[in-house]
Amino acid sequence: MRPFAVTCRLLLLLSLFAITLADRAAAADRPPNFVIIFCDDLGYGDVGPFGSTTHRTPNLDRMAAEGIRFTDFYVTSGVCTPSRSSLMTACYPRRVGLDRNETGGWVLFPGNHRGLNPDEITIAEVLKQKDYATAIVGKWHLGDQPEFLPTRQGFDSYFGIPFSNDMGHGHNKRYPPLPLLENEKVFEEEPDQAQLTPRYTARAVEFITTHKDEPFFLYMPHTFPHNPIFASERFAGKSANGNFGDSVEEIDWSVGQILATIKKLGIDEQTLVIFTSDNGAASRWGGGNGPLRGFKGSTWEGGMREPCVMRWPGKIPAGKVCGELASSLDLMPTLAKLAGTSAPTDRVIDGLDIWPLMSGQPGAKSPREAFFYYYTNQLQAVRSGKWKLHLPRKPRGRANQNDQWPQLYDLESDIGEQNNVAAAHPEVVERLSALAEQCREDLGDGDRQGKNCRKPGHVENATTLTHN
């Protein structure tokens, strides 16, 4: 080869090497991408990484092997709306007025006047401060009036249903047709629910692909396995646990599609993926909460402790297990820090930075002194460290009318909350009771008002979403 040709080739190789280094430097400087996959009524024991031998979840199994499992991860309610309000705002539901609906019920319904107050700051709005592309694909359930929709709460785009899938005419004739929204418009009425998971997945893949060259936040709250439970023809009738198992296995497939897309696009090491659920499994639809006591709607562990897996190659060590107390409350401040910004400082929030736990730092401990369990507006339990104290409560929401109160459980040795050790540890009961009283002063309890609570959103003339 002639010297001139050799020189040109060397210069070309050096140029390509420089470009590669520049690309890597740019990728390192760019804020990370975030994907939160949030199931509906998936129980603690419903996926392989948390002990299920009934449901086949190979993608979640691999995600856990390549990332970290949180065994003591909590949401703030045993039902949909209040739990989702905490993920979005890093606040207990009572703080933002979404512990109940306007008539005192558990969750929001079609045409309710109440919703997430537009004055609250969501995780999407925090990330918009760093120019993130933001999207939600799936179930919102924080208000169906235009003022409360996700496109008014920091999300660039929205595709999904605004509330639970049983709140439609096809399931209950007292409701209007179930709407499928594209941003703020009804795209379809009474969509084929068997196709929702694959349609959500296609939209999620499209969003990731479109925004692969910029930081993005994808919030993917699945419709299932909430009842009525559906799965597409690819999965229907294929599991060992009826339609519940079919749905779980299709969600696992969806997780696999998301992870495969991220890897194919070369953004694996720039993307944090978080998988969890809004509350525990219901008692009658086929789900299971593993060794935990209680089900959806309760303040027993089975109602509010959720399976949680996080994966970020190069940042989260593979095959880790964290038994420290963490919560969906903590995702906003943690992701904000990773993005180079911060959670709101002009108001009280309840979330804390758990990156030391997520990144597997040696000796990292939970930053949370206590976690509080509410049943609608009623404070029913408090956890601090390994101890959980169930407080005396009104009849509503009690699992057993003959139970004796208070009840103290050592969750390290008694994850199923079977052995009340209150009599043997009066000093622990006293300490946790004092934490509960601090919580009552802050957030309130029943008719008692807390000093740091804010009002929910409210519209006077609520309407029902219809196809125009």
Side-chain angles (χ1 to χ4, degrees):
M1 187 178 293
R2 295 179 180 179
F4 179 74
V6 172
T7 302
C8 289
R9 187 172 182 180
L10 287 173
L11 288 173
L12 178 61
L13 290 173
L14 288 171
S15 298
L16 292 173
F17 181 67
I19 291 171
T20 300
L21 289 178
D23 288 343
R24 289 181 177 177
D29 291 339
R30 196 183 92 177
N33 310 311
F34 303 121
V35 178
I36 297 178
I37 302 170
F38 205 58
C39 295
D40 196 338
D41 291 7
L42 182 77
Y44 189 84
D46 279 332
V47 294
F50 285 80
S52 177
T53 57
T54 304
H55 303 144
R56 296 168 296 185
T57 57
N59 295 294
L60 285 168
D61 295 344
R62 185 166 56 252
M63 183 176 168
E66 296 172 350
I68 188 169
R69 285 191 303 120
F70 278 82
T71 60
D72 294 56
F73 187 88
Y74 291 86
V75 292
T76 58
S77 175
V79 292
C80 305
T81 295
S83 174
R84 291 157 195 270
S85 73
S86 295
L87 176 62
M88 285 295 102
T89 66
C91 295
Y92 282 104
R94 179 137 177 156
R95 192 174 304 286
V96 295
L98 289 179
D99 48 317
R100 297 179 294 169
N101 67 22
E102 58 210 54
T103 60
W106 280 7
V107 300
L108 297 175
F109 288 90
N112 275 186
H113 296 261
R114 182 171 293 189
L116 179 62
N117 196 320
D119 290 338
E120 296 295 339
I121 299 175
T122 68
I123 186 172
E125 290 171 309
V126 167
L127 295 175
K128 291 300 290 184
Q129 297 170 2
K130 299 298 288 186
D131 297 322
Y132 272 68
T134 58
I136 168 176
V137 179
K139 170 184 165 180
W140 176 237
H141 215 168
L142 292 174
D144 65 351
Q145 301 306 296
E147 293 87 345
F148 308 140
L149 290 176
T151 44
R152 310 285 181 98
Q153 309 275 6
F155 289 96
D156 299 328
S157 63
Y158 172 40
F159 181 81
I161 60 174
F163 30 69
S164 294
N165 63 322
D166 60 349
M167 297 180 182
H169 194 68
H171 184 72
N172 190 321
K173 299 303 181 185
R174 68 189 176 96
Y175 296 125
L178 181 70
L180 177 65
L181 271 64
E182 176 89 60
N183 297 323
E184 298 185 7
K185 299 292 185 181
V186 177
F187 185 68
E188 290 179 22
E189 289 185 338
E190 293 295 337
D192 180 359
Q193 294 201 34
Q195 298 303 316
L196 284 180
T197 298
R199 291 178 76 178
Y200 289 169
T201 305
R203 288 293 185 118
V205 167
E206 179 184 12
F207 173 78
I208 292 170
T209 303
T210 300
H211 297 282
K212 63 181 176 61
D213 295 324
E214 61 183 317
F216 63 79
F217 168 49
L218 171 63
Y219 172 42
M220 194 175 183
H222 278 284
T223 293
F224 303 116
H226 189 284
N227 187 67
I229 308 168
F230 294 89
S232 69
E233 62 280 359
R234 181 186 302 183
F235 292 91
K238 304 294 176 58
S239 79
N241 189 27
N243 57 359
F244 191 97
D246 299 343
S247 176
V248 171
E249 293 186 2
E250 184 159 39
I251 288 171
D252 178 79
W253 164 83
S254 176
V255 171
Q257 295 297 299
I258 299 299
L259 295 177
T261 299
I262 290 168
K263 188 170 185 177
K264 178 182 176 182
L265 295 172
I267 54 174
D268 212 23
E269 295 185 356
Q270 298 168 259
T271 307
L272 167 61
V273 181
I274 299 171
F275 177 93
T276 188
S277 178
D278 66 342
N279 50 252
S283 59
R284 51 183 171 165
W285 307 125
N289 297 312
L292 308 181
R293 179 178 179 179
F295 291 91
K296 171 182 178 175
S298 76
T299 51
W300 299 108
E301 292 293 282
M304 296 172 62
R305 192 196 289 208
E306 304 309 318
C308 181
V309 182
M310 302 186 188
R311 177 186 182 274
W312 186 3
K315 297 294 192 299
I316 290 178
K320 288 288 186 178
V321 178
C322 180
E324 290 293 313
L325 177 60
S327 170
S328 58
L329 292 165
D330 304 325
L331 296 184
M332 178 206 280
T334 305
L335 269 56
K337 177 182 178 181
L338 293 171
T341 184
S342 62
T345 57
D346 63 341
R347 64 198 64 200
V348 176
I349 67 168
D350 302 295
L352 300 167
D353 175 19
I354 58 168
W355 178 242
L357 301 180
M358 292 167 60
S359 57
Q361 295 181 18
K365 298 295 182 182
S366 173
R368 186 172 298 282
E369 179 184 14
F371 178 80
F372 302 101
Y373 304 68
Y374 273 87
Y375 176 93
T376 64
N377 68 341
Q378 184 183 131
L379 178 63
Q380 291 196 343
V382 55
R383 176 175 175 175
S384 181
K386 68 177 184 177
W387 299 106
K388 180 179 180 183
L389 179 69
H390 285 265
L391 305 162
R393 59 183 72 167
K394 298 176 183 178
R396 186 183 183 194
R398 287 177 57 169
N400 186 335
Q401 296 296 320
N402 297 317
D403 281 338
Q404 299 297 310
W405 308 99
Q407 294 184 12
L408 180 69
Y409 298 99
D410 176 352
L411 294 178
E412 281 187 3
S413 61
D414 182 21
I415 192 173
E417 298 175 279
Q418 297 298 313
N419 303 306
N420 181 9
V421 294
H425 298 279
E427 75 289 353
V428 178
V429 172
E430 182 179 5
R431 181 172 67 85
L432 269 63
S433 295
L435 290 171
E437 182 57 27
Q438 293 174 19
C439 178
R440 293 187 182 101
E441 293 179 6
D442 180 26
L443 291 171
D445 185 7
D447 294 333
R448 178 176 172 179
Q449 298 301 308
K451 63 182 181 181
N452 290 310
C453 293
R454 305 187 286 271
K455 293 182 178 181
H458 179 85
V459 296
E460 288 296 327
N461 299 311
T463 58
T464 300
L465 290 167
T466 58
H467 190 277
N468 295 323

